[in-house]
Amino acid sequence: MNYSTEIGVAMENTFHALPPEERAAVISHGVAVRFSELNKRHFLAESKIRFFEDKYKATLSEIERKGLPDDADYEMHEDYVMWSHWTDALGKVKSQVRALQKIAELGVYR
């Protein structure tokens, strides 16, 4: 077992030793904090994507379908890479939100 695995196991054991109401509180508050972080990331990714869509008057899908223009300059190539990055980041955030949604639907334990 490596060091990070040992820490993870120790953390899980310590967590499971807590009374049930404490475990519920830790989970629900942790989910609330994580949702806050994910919402910030979601907003940032959408803002970046919207910037590129406004700049190029197209969606990334349209650009990919047509291909970059033959006269595309360095800036457009760099923008394409960043646009792809933010599109992937948005997809990842949405996936992470879906994964936490069931816990969040149970509400915050008080």
Side-chain angles (χ1 to χ4, degrees), residues 24 27-28 31 35 100-110:
I27 290 170
S28 64
V31 167
F35 266 122
L100 292 175
Q101 195 65 43
K102 288 188 182 193
I103 296 171
E105 288 170 359
L106 297 173
V108 175
Y109 181 86
R110 294 174 192 224

Side-chain angles (χ1 to χ4, degrees), residues 56-87:
Y56 293 103
K57 308 291 185 238
T59 65
L60 182 61
S61 297
E62 292 168 346
I63 296 287
E64 289 177 334
R65 213 173 17 258
K66 295 176 188 174
L68 292 175
D70 291 336
D71 62 347
D73 60 5
Y74 178 80
E75 181 181 6
M76 187 171 194
H77 284 273
E78 289 294 308
D79 285 350
Y80 174 77
V81 170
M82 292 307 298
W83 197 349
S84 296
H85 163 77
W86 286 112
T87 299

Side-chain angles (χ1 to χ4, degrees), residues 5 12 23 36 40 53 57 61 66 81 84 89 97 102:
T5 303
E12 283 184 39
R23 290 194 309 260
S36 177
K40 290 175 190 174
E53 288 175 347
K57 308 291 185 238
S61 297
K66 295 176 188 174
V81 170
S84 296
V97 166
K102 288 188 182 193

